[in-house]
Amino acid sequence: MSNLYSDIDFNNKKILITGGAGFIGSNIAFYLQHNYPDAQIVVFDRFQSEERFPSGNYTGLGHFKNLVGFKGETIAGNIINSDDLKLLTSIKWDYIFHQAAISDTTVTDQALVIKTNANSLNFFINLALKNNAHLVYASSAGTYGNSPSPNKVGFRELPENVYGFSKLMMDNMLLKNLKTHPELKITGLRYFNVYGNREFYKGKTASMILQLGLQILNGNKPRLFKHGEQSRDFVFVDDVVQANIKAIDKPSGIYNVGSGISRTFNDIVSILSRNLSKPVDIEYFDNPYTFYQNNTCADIASTLALLGYQPTFTLEQGIAGYTAEIIQIHKQLNNG
């Protein structure tokens, strides 16, 4: 990620990345560190512990191994703990990338998800206002639920789970605050299906690209719902980093971040098979879910026009760039 996505010089700027030990946050941190060695980057993350949700998934997905080689400051803290948040109030921030959230869509504790995702945004809005900082936060395509694609901001926002609902509440908060504080610099980015480097510690919530890749390397038949023609807008993590960086000092608002193209799960298996040099025989099985999104596709017209965002990775290019890490993860899992 050595391409410069912006004319802004982030050197000597104070930059906060919440969830910075997670998948997307750590990629933002390393992009900034690589391209702006004098940037003053602070990662705030709760980090993984033994605590798990009833589903068995970890409650915290940030992992120190995602930050090996990071040279900035690291603060361990939870965005719903007021004492932890006080650690951030004495610093004069220039830019805030707010990635911290409960991103596990299987979590059923509705109050916890809303408190963590939606309610905590108030603190970062006030922090941005106090510092005249630009706040960019992670929203989600989950705000659209199972609405027909293409998915466009402001249309058919009908979330099907509390995660999507909490992200829609964040976006509503953005719109409300812009009315009362038109000077506020705030951008919500609705991520579609993000995949790529440093997602391993998401565990069972990692992308189907990683999960299918590991199935293939294990010599198993990749398993898909019948008949693998469900499609998603898959976006490589480097393009998501690009969107975050390009959002800085651009018009406030809510933007979709995807490739703008839907691809099927059959496509994923085919591309993985080629890159891993392993012919595969897909096992199709009945979809057990009464609700399931058959297609997502981001309308990225406003993202292109107003942020200058331009997706640069096709699914083929993204998986090709990710293959070495998938192979390395497989080796580590099988060597203890």
Side-chain angles (χ1 to χ4, degrees):
M1 281 194 294
S2 59
N3 292 333
L4 286 180
Y5 299 138
S6 172
D7 292 332
I8 294 170
D9 185 359
F10 290 92
N11 283 310
N12 302 308
K13 301 294 186 182
K14 270 285 189 184
I15 304 167
L16 172 63
I17 306 173
T18 73
F23 170 33
I24 295 170
S26 61
N27 276 282
I28 294 172
F30 278 105
Y31 168 85
L32 289 167
Q33 175 174 286
H34 179 78
N35 291 291
Y36 307 94
D38 293 322
Q40 299 171 37
I41 308 165
V42 178
V43 159
F44 183 89
D45 200 292
R46 67 177 296 186
F47 288 93
Q48 193 176 101
S49 69
E50 291 304 309
E51 187 181 348
R52 296 174 186 257
F53 291 117
S55 65
N57 295 339
Y58 284 110
T59 57
L61 301 181
H63 200 289
F64 80 90
K65 286 191 176 179
N66 281 337
L67 290 176
V68 171
F70 175 62
K71 298 171 184 173
E73 185 180 349
T74 305
I75 299 174
N78 193 322
I79 58 172
I80 59 172
N81 184 308
S82 57
D83 288 335
D84 292 345
L85 291 175
K86 284 177 186 173
L87 300 171
L88 305 177
T89 56
S90 61
I91 301 171
K92 177 74 170 70
W93 303 105
D94 295 294
Y95 306 110
I96 302 168
F97 296 96
H98 178 39
Q99 309 295 311
I102 293 176
S103 58
D104 184 343
T105 59
T106 67
V107 177
T108 56
D109 186 337
Q110 298 182 22
L112 179 63
V113 174
I114 292 168
K115 186 186 297 183
T116 304
N117 295 358
N119 297 356
S120 68
L121 183 61
N122 273 316
F123 171 84
F124 293 99
I125 288 174
N126 290 327
L127 190 64
L129 277 169
K130 173 188 168 188
N131 291 285
N132 191 31
H134 195 135
L135 168 63
V136 181
Y137 70 85
S139 184
S140 169
T143 53
Y144 299 111
N146 203 24
S147 298
S149 65
N151 306 112
K152 187 174 182 179
V153 174
F155 296 88
R156 298 191 296 266
E157 296 165 339
L158 301 166
E160 291 280 348
N161 54 42
V162 70
Y163 168 73
F165 176 80
S166 71
K167 292 296 184 176
L168 184 58
M169 292 303 98
M170 294 173 75
D171 294 344
N172 289 345
M173 205 178 298
L174 175 154
L175 298 172
K176 178 184 175 184
N177 275 275
L178 282 177
K179 285 183 179 178
T180 54
H181 299 286
E183 77 281 8
L184 179 62
K185 294 180 284 190
I186 179 170
T187 306
L189 299 178
R190 288 183 177 171
Y191 302 154
F192 277 66
N193 286 69
V194 189
Y195 68 97
N197 310 85
R198 299 192 178 93
E199 68 167 315
F200 170 67
Y201 293 103
K202 292 185 70 177
K204 292 177 183 176
T205 67
S207 74
M208 285 300 295
I209 291 165
L210 175 58
Q211 295 185 50
L212 289 167
L214 293 176
Q215 286 177 29
I216 292 169
L217 287 169
N218 283 330
N220 300 324
K221 290 182 179 181
R223 303 184 77 238
L224 298 178
F225 294 149
K226 293 179 179 176
H227 284 100
E229 290 302 314
Q230 305 89 348
S231 60
R232 297 282 182 273
D233 188 329
F234 296 101
V235 55
F236 191 52
V237 67
D238 286 18
D239 280 335
V240 174
V241 172
Q242 178 204 154
N244 274 270
I245 300 301
K246 285 189 171 177
I248 296 296
D249 289 346
K250 298 286 174 51
S252 294
I254 303 160
Y255 300 89
N256 286 334
V257 178
S259 68
I261 300 170
S262 287
R263 299 293 297 271
T264 68
F265 289 103
N266 284 331
D267 288 339
I268 291 175
V269 172
S270 175
I271 299 166
L272 282 166
S273 174
R274 288 199 303 272
N275 279 276
L276 297 171
S277 301
K278 284 187 174 288
V280 296
D281 183 18
I282 300 172
E283 178 184 336
Y284 296 106
F285 64 104
D286 290 326
N287 184 347
Y289 301 107
T290 52
F291 158 75
Y292 190 76
Q293 285 178 303
N294 285 315
N295 175 262
T296 65
C297 185
D299 181 326
I300 57 174
S302 65
T303 323
L304 300 174
L306 298 177
L307 299 191
Y309 168 74
Q310 186 64 56
T312 54
F313 291 86
T314 63
L315 187 61
E316 284 81 0
Q317 290 168 324
I319 290 178
Y322 188 23
T323 298
E325 182 163 313
I326 295 174
I327 293 170
Q328 184 62 35
I329 289 168
H330 176 256
K331 286 179 179 175
Q332 289 173 349
L333 290 173
N334 285 276
N335 290 335

